[in-house]
Amino acid sequence: MNIEIVGAGPAGLYLAILLKKLDRGVDVRVLERNAPDATFGFGVVFSEETLGALRDADPETHLEITDTFARWDRIDIRYRGRELSSRGHSFSAIARGRLLEILQQRCRELGVTLEFGVEVEELPEADLVVGADGANSLVRRHRDFGTKVRTEGSKYVWFGTDHVFDAFTFAFRETEHGLFNAHAYPYDERMSTFIVECPETVWRASGLDEMDEQESLTFCEQLFANELRGRELFSNRSLWLDFPKITNQTWHDGNVVLLGDAVHTAHFSIGSGTKLAMDDSIALAAALARRRWDLSAAFVDYELDRAPYVERTQEAASESAAYFGRIASYSHLEPIQFSFNLLTRSGRITHATLGVRDPQFTRALDAWFGGRPVSPPPAFAPFALRGVELPNRFGLVPSGFVAVSEEGRVTPETPVIETWEPSGEHVLLQLGHAGRRGATRPREAGIDLLLADGWPVVAPAPKAYGPFGAVPGRSDEKEVREQFLAAARRAAALGVDVLELDMAHGYLLGSYLSPLTNDEDDRLRFPLSLLEAVRQLWPRVLAVRLSVTDWHPRGNTVDDGIAIARALAEHGCDLIHVEAGQTVHDDRPEYRRGFLTALSDRVRNEARIPTIVGGYLTTLDEANTIVGAGRADLVLLDVPETQIERPIRSSNTVLLGEVGA
């Protein structure tokens, strides 16, 4: 077996080691365009999980790597003149140059051929060709892997410094042009990595787009002088970059296979790039061993093994990248909540897992949230808004869709406000008009299936909801307004705490808001006028259920939804109930566990309005994390009815279901 590996980064070198260990008879050659001591970047971070995999795959390499590690278990967050620390995170780092030196030496010991300074212009002739040549992979460009490359996150630049940090440090600096942040961590006894990041608008406004390498280094050195303690920054081709997110439909083609950054990238802010690359090498070598060098079968095994994990990691990395891109929107949060929001940004740390790692931090968060030295977790903190006081953050009970009129029903079974009665305390009355989604069969028979003898439906434009839907007539806005006002009066008489106007999921009011369903230039005209009219007579909490995005290429984007939420807040809305999609039948949903949480986070912190969020949330840990991080104020938990049938309340706890019995 003749094997050519293009690229002598950690992925290519480690694969060469593992393949040579697998079969000393194979001929393994690694080709690299740069010199053996050339490296870009400074330090490489490893988690305990990664180290365990390295130990099992090649104990000799693991021993050499870990002998030179810088280790820490703390994350420091420097924000608004304060430093908050969280412990128990267990990281290790090594100089990238030293890592490559160890891997090169191990390759030579095993008889791998290493050739440096080789420009590879065509794919090598070999039984197996491996593309381990990074994000700009030449191997990838020579075959069709279904590659997609898009930039994500902010502008960033990668420096080193001779100030040795004693923890992973996030530092934030406000300037007249906007917010900058730094990611810093030690990687040996003399040096640390120091990455500076900011949104492109801030980068341009600061003049960095016109500075050369030395000028931008000096700018960053002065900006973060306090963090650097008078030490210098060092450049290694440290230019401002855009991070490329790379995905591929397939990871192999014929006898050619990709690994590491050549096949996928994950934003640097979660520190998983080298981990993913070396884990790829382990998985590919294992697949070749298992399939006895049957390349086709091994490649399928390799991809099936790695792709799901990589996709989840990339998703978490993208969330993290987006977070730092909008970091300025969190500047109103208090330092403890800002820090918790930062620590939980990618979803890999929660209130419960942080409580295991650092119980002191979560106790401090709970105490700040509850206003007492010893307080329950955030989801159990009371919530007050416009005179309505709720005992916790998950006890508000949605009524389900209640129509303002007979013709506003979704199905014949939809309750109408004239006969509706609240089923208990702290009810969220969801008032709506079905619009073009009305006059359909019961949902158990199928979604949006027309009744044979239904009633006429209305909308702002004559556009049916689905391919077999009824074409709606023009809605009588005066009549609809009066129906909502009459419904609000009845809700007040019934003692409802929270009244919600349904402007989501393609129902009548939601249809006004979207360019997919309303041709008006001012699509907010009628929804805002209706909101104002209800506000004038409704003294308690007034919420709006809003599809923040249409999930359609020609529909409202998340930014559009945030602008709509901001307008609703300015016209009297107290609370946004975050939803997404279903404006049209052929949207492109992104359903998954907690899929609405990131949308709620953005609405709450960019439109600056309280939010309520659901979206397949099933645990109190999720509620504690969301509320504690300031991603929502109230949470709708999807739990079986038997679990919430009989809540038993005490001053600090709510026991659910059989536990409470």
Side-chain angles (χ1 to χ4, degrees):
M1 175 70 69
N2 176 256
I3 302 169
E4 298 277 352
I5 300 174
V6 181
L13 292 172
Y14 202 57
L15 178 65
I17 291 167
L18 299 181
L19 294 183
K20 202 65 174 170
K21 285 185 61 178
L22 175 62
D23 184 346
R24 292 299 183 95
V26 299
D27 182 14
V28 182
R29 185 172 68 147
V30 181
L31 305 175
E32 170 59 47
R33 63 181 301 183
N34 295 302
D37 58 349
T39 181
F40 308 105
F42 292 90
V44 174
V45 177
F46 289 98
S47 66
E48 290 300 315
E49 177 189 8
T50 304
L51 293 178
L54 296 182
R55 181 192 60 239
D56 295 341
D58 186 43
E60 291 85 352
T61 303
H62 172 266
L63 181 62
E64 285 288 330
I65 292 172
T66 54
D67 274 352
T68 60
F69 266 158
R71 301 177 185 270
W72 69 92
D73 75 341
R74 197 176 82 238
I75 296 175
D76 290 344
I77 300 167
R78 299 177 183 178
Y79 166 72
R80 278 169 43 178
R82 291 187 57 188
E83 180 175 278
L84 287 86
S85 297
S86 176
R87 295 184 178 275
H89 298 281
S90 188
F91 290 104
S92 304
I94 185 174
R96 181 176 170 86
R98 176 58 182 147
L99 174 62
L100 294 179
E101 182 182 302
I102 291 170
L103 296 177
Q104 290 168 13
Q105 180 58 35
R106 180 67 172 145
C107 281
R108 294 187 180 98
E109 290 173 0
L110 293 171
V112 175
T113 301
L114 302 179
E115 295 188 12
F116 293 92
V118 178
E119 287 287 351
V120 178
E121 297 180 354
E122 299 293 336
L123 292 184
E125 294 290 334
D127 298 313
L128 168 60
V129 177
V130 180
D133 48 342
N136 296 315
S137 172
L138 177 140
V139 174
R140 191 182 65 228
R141 294 197 298 271
H142 274 75
R143 295 289 180 91
D144 183 9
F145 297 95
T147 305
K148 292 184 179 179
V149 182
R150 66 176 179 83
T151 60
E152 65 179 7
S154 301
K155 287 283 187 179
Y156 72 99
V157 61
W158 203 297
F159 296 115
T161 177
D162 56 356
H163 173 62
V164 181
F165 289 85
D166 57 2
F168 196 111
T169 302
F170 292 106
F172 299 88
R173 283 287 174 267
E174 186 68 54
T175 72
E176 60 180 316
H177 303 296
L179 191 66
F180 286 78
N181 61 276
H183 313 239
Y185 57 87
Y187 60 82
D188 62 23
E189 71 279 4
R190 299 179 296 104
M191 294 288 290
S192 299
T193 291
F194 199 89
I195 305 169
V196 180
E197 186 182 22
C198 68
E200 184 171 354
T201 54
V202 176
W203 178 73
R204 292 188 182 279
S206 301
L208 286 161
D209 57 326
E210 298 180 353
M211 295 185 192
D212 62 24
E213 186 175 341
Q214 182 58 45
E215 289 170 334
S216 70
L217 182 149
T218 301
F219 176 94
C220 294
E221 216 170 46
Q222 294 172 350
L223 181 61
F224 289 99
N226 287 342
E227 279 67 39
L228 294 171
R229 302 290 194 270
R231 297 285 188 168
E232 295 181 275
L233 290 178
F234 298 99
S235 178
N236 183 356
R237 292 184 61 185
S238 300
L239 306 175
W240 288 91
L241 302 170
D242 296 303
F243 188 87
K245 180 179 180 179
I246 295 171
T247 59
N248 287 273
Q249 290 181 350
T250 181
W251 295 14
H252 63 276
D253 181 28
N255 69 330
V256 180
V257 65
L258 303 176
L259 73 161
D261 284 354
V263 69
H264 51 67
T265 55
H267 193 263
F268 65 83
S269 59
I270 68 167
S272 292
T274 303
K275 165 189 165 49
L276 289 177
M278 297 182 76
D279 283 350
D280 284 352
S281 301
I282 294 170
L284 180 55
L288 288 166
R290 186 167 54 250
R291 293 296 185 170
R292 298 180 181 274
W293 298 96
D294 180 337
L295 297 187
S296 297
F299 291 167
V300 171
D301 280 7
Y302 161 62
E303 190 168 339
L304 288 174
D305 177 27
R306 293 294 296 151
Y309 180 84
V310 168
E311 288 173 8
R312 292 194 299 272
T313 303
Q314 286 187 307
E315 185 177 291
S318 294
E319 291 284 353
S320 180
Y323 170 88
F324 284 106
R326 60 176 186 269
I327 190 70
S329 67
Y330 302 104
S331 60
H332 65 290
L333 299 180
E334 288 299 311
I336 184 69
Q337 189 171 44
F338 178 94
S339 299
F340 185 66
N341 188 296
L342 170 62
L343 292 171
T344 59
R345 67 192 182 279
S346 68
R348 300 200 293 186
I349 294 176
T350 68
H351 184 275
T353 58
L354 187 61
V356 174
R357 296 184 185 196
D358 190 354
Q360 184 175 350
F361 188 98
T362 53
R363 282 197 296 268
L365 174 73
D366 298 346
W368 171 80
F369 217 91
R372 293 178 296 176
V374 179
S375 295
F380 292 90
F383 180 69
L385 185 64
R386 200 180 278 268
V388 174
E389 296 188 4
L390 302 175
N392 56 57
R393 303 306 181 97
F394 55 88
L396 193 62
V397 182
S399 65
F401 191 99
V402 177
V404 295
S405 63
E406 292 285 332
E407 61 271 22
R409 292 173 296 161
V410 179
T411 74
E413 289 75 21
T414 300
V416 179
I417 187 61
E418 292 177 356
T419 57
W420 177 83
E421 296 283 344
S423 58
E425 61 178 339
H426 306 312
V427 172
L428 171 71
L429 173 54
Q430 298 174 294
L431 278 182
H433 189 300
R436 65 203 189 107
R437 295 192 70 182
T440 60
R441 297 171 64 184
R443 289 289 169 90
E444 59 265 22
I447 306 298
D448 298 306
L449 299 179
L450 285 180
L451 284 168
D453 54 350
W455 53 90
V457 297
V458 296
K463 300 179 180 182
Y465 185 77
F468 303 106
V471 177
R474 176 74 183 185
S475 53
D476 185 332
E477 294 178 358
K478 182 178 180 181
E479 180 182 10
V480 171
R481 181 182 286 106
E482 289 304 317
Q483 290 170 349
F484 272 93
L485 292 176
R489 293 187 190 98
R490 174 164 170 77
L494 292 170
V496 170
D497 283 334
V498 182
L499 180 66
E500 179 176 274
L501 306 181
D502 197 320
M503 298 188 187
H505 289 176
Y507 296 123
L508 180 60
L509 299 183
S511 293
Y512 273 91
L513 296 173
S514 174
L516 298 170
T517 51
N518 187 0
D519 297 326
E520 293 183 57
D521 291 332
D522 185 4
R523 294 187 295 275
L524 274 67
R525 174 192 56 80
F526 180 62
L528 290 182
S529 68
L530 175 60
L531 175 67
E532 289 178 334
V534 174
R535 176 80 282 171
Q536 289 178 8
L537 62 84
W538 183 257
R540 301 187 185 97
V541 177
L542 181 56
V544 170
R545 188 167 180 252
L546 177 68
S547 286
V548 177
T549 173
D550 288 334
W551 274 339
H552 192 281
R554 297 187 301 278
N556 284 330
T557 65
V558 176
D559 288 338
D560 295 328
I562 292 169
I564 292 171
R566 191 176 292 116
L568 293 170
E570 292 169 353
H571 286 77
C573 177
D574 300 312
L575 179 70
I576 296 291
H577 181 173
V578 173
E579 295 285 3
Q582 299 187 41
T583 304
V584 292
H585 79 283
D586 59 341
D587 61 357
R588 302 174 185 179
E590 300 175 4
Y591 297 126
R592 62 185 185 279
R593 188 180 183 92
F595 69 99
L596 295 172
T597 301
L599 296 177
S600 175
D601 187 343
R602 291 198 59 186
V603 170
R604 185 183 189 274
N605 292 293
E606 294 180 40
R608 300 292 174 88
I609 182 172
T611 61
I612 180 171
V613 68
Y616 308 142
L617 303 173
T618 60
T619 68
L620 285 172
D621 183 34
E622 290 170 317
N624 287 325
T625 305
I626 290 167
V627 174
R631 297 189 176 96
D633 298 272
L634 298 168
V635 175
L636 300 176
L637 292 176
D638 292 324
V639 295
E641 290 186 6
T642 55
Q643 287 186 269
I644 59 174
E645 208 168 58
R646 296 187 296 137
I648 300 175
R649 290 183 174 85
S650 68
S651 60
N652 288 339
T653 61
V654 174
L655 304 180
L656 302 180
E658 295 180 359
V659 176

